[in-house]
Amino acid sequence: MDFSKPETVVDLNNIRNVLIRMEDTIVFNLIERAKFPRQPSIYKPGAFNISDFDGSFVEWLLREEEIVHAKIRRYESPDEIPFFPNDLPEPILPAIEYPPVLYPHPNKVNVNDTIKDFYINDIVPRICADGEQPENLGSSSLCDVECLRSLSRRIHFGRFVAEAKYLTETAHMTSLIKSKDVAGLDAAITNKAVEKQVLARLKRKAETYGIDPTLADPQPKASRVNVEAVVEMYENWVIPLTKEVEVEYLLNRLPKEEA
Ligand SMILES: O=C(O)C(=O)C[C@]1(C(=O)O)C=C[C@@H](O)C=C1
């Protein structure tokens, strides 16, 4: 996706292709995290002695990475939403003026707190074995940061999906937005057939990527990832939150003089 060419960014086919590609990244990131046990201590606030920080070790690592990445202007890119937007420094590299694609520009719809919550409390316990491996606390936390970032990018892509839908159905959407009809907007952005395709594709990907294709036959082919947990994560969290982002985006979509 080329953010310097707005017309490519609001093409629903292009957007869906990017979402499909992101599935690969997300499944592989989960496979990487599943190599390690749950590591409860990295999610427990106060478990490590971190000065000037009240959260958990994983949250601290995420914030530290975001501080470095902000300096190389990661969060100026329209598809990157930080977990710690209030703690970030100005970029060192000169600003890039992206042409406005979303409204308002820049767009700050942010559901990262919910993403962090479901990932830590619902997904990690399902994809990782019980237990703690003290020598891999850092590696596991790095995997968590990758998982969280890829989930966040996917879910916040809902803003581009919503903009594409708004542009093709402006009159209908405008009337729903004006009457703050959340259920109507939710129905308008929902495409059950596409959701079914997403879940079926994800199942195939998790089943396929979960097994090393070079392993010799016959032997028990244990998957490297809990396929059901991956599919249910999309069904219960990723798709619903993408839709929440879409609706939230649309509720704020009208130019001030029209709202
Ligand atoms: O592809 C779309 O139209 C989207 O809105 C994205 C998405 C998804 O999260 O995959 C969300 C809602 C639709 O019902 C179908 C799929």
Side-chain angles (χ1 to χ4, degrees):
M1 189 146 292
D2 182 350
F3 288 105
S4 65
K5 297 198 180 80
E7 65 285 1
T8 66
V9 181
V10 289
D11 176 320
L12 194 51
N13 278 333
N14 279 351
I15 297 170
R16 286 190 178 138
N17 283 333
V18 179
L19 294 180
I20 289 171
R21 185 61 191 76
M22 282 190 225
E23 292 163 3
D24 302 355
T25 309
I26 290 171
V27 172
F28 276 111
N29 284 342
L30 294 173
I31 288 173
E32 288 302 299
R33 178 60 182 91
K35 285 194 304 205
F36 304 111
R38 282 181 205 157
Q39 317 282 44
S41 66
I42 60 179
Y43 307 112
K44 212 180 279 164
F48 298 92
N49 191 8
I50 311 173
S51 57
D52 300 328
F53 190 73
D54 292 335
S56 68
F57 182 74
V58 163
E59 287 172 316
W60 170 80
L61 179 65
L62 186 54
R63 191 188 66 153
E64 293 299 298
E65 282 205 14
E66 289 195 343
I67 289 172
V68 174
H69 292 195
K71 292 181 188 170
I72 60 163
R73 68 186 173 201
R74 179 173 200 142
Y75 303 106
E76 292 201 351
S77 182
D79 60 336
E80 298 278 357
I81 299 287
F83 285 76
F84 292 92
N86 301 325
D87 297 355
L88 302 183
E90 290 300 315
I92 292 171
L93 292 174
I96 298 178
E97 284 303 320
Y98 289 100
V101 173
L102 301 177
Y103 185 91
H105 172 76
N107 187 278
K108 305 280 189 200
V109 173
N110 190 333
V111 296
N112 275 335
D113 283 346
T114 313
I115 295 173
K116 185 151 55 73
D117 236 52
F118 86 70
Y119 172 75
I120 291 172
N121 297 318
D122 204 52
I123 308 309
V124 172
R126 289 195 68 192
I127 61 166
C128 298
D130 226 350
E132 176 123 327
Q133 236 173 40
E135 68 279 18
N136 282 318
L137 297 177
S139 310
S140 311
S141 307
L142 286 167
C143 291
D144 283 333
V145 169
E146 290 305 321
C147 288
L148 286 166
R149 235 195 317 259
S150 54
L151 287 166
S152 171
R153 183 160 179 267
R154 195 290 178 191
I155 289 166
H156 289 104
F157 240 69
R159 295 166 306 148
F160 301 107
V161 180
E163 178 65 17
K165 292 177 179 173
Y166 173 82
L167 292 178
T168 50
E169 282 179 77
T170 308
H172 180 47
M173 294 282 186
T174 301
S175 103
L176 292 169
I177 297 166
K178 280 191 171 157
S179 49
K180 297 195 179 4
D181 183 350
V182 171
L185 284 168
D186 185 72
I189 54 119
T190 295
N191 185 330
K192 280 284 167 205
V194 171
E195 289 184 24
K196 254 179 96 176
Q197 285 167 8
V198 171
L199 295 175
R201 198 173 45 239
L202 206 74
K203 182 164 184 288
R204 274 195 72 188
K205 287 183 177 181
E207 280 170 354
T208 309
Y209 304 159
I211 296 194
D212 179 348
T214 64
L215 287 180
D217 275 331
Q219 31 81 60
K221 290 195 169 178
S223 177
R224 296 178 288 191
V225 74
N226 177 342
V227 173
E228 206 175 72
V230 176
V231 176
E232 285 176 12
M233 176 185 76
Y234 257 70
E235 192 170 12
N236 298 332
W237 295 107
V238 175
I239 294 176
L241 278 173
T242 304
K243 289 162 74 166
E244 196 177 309
V245 165
E246 290 186 42
V247 171
E248 172 74 16
Y249 174 82
L250 289 167
L251 287 171
N252 295 291
R253 173 60 182 83
L254 296 186
K256 284 225 161 29
E257 58 282 9
E258 265 193 66

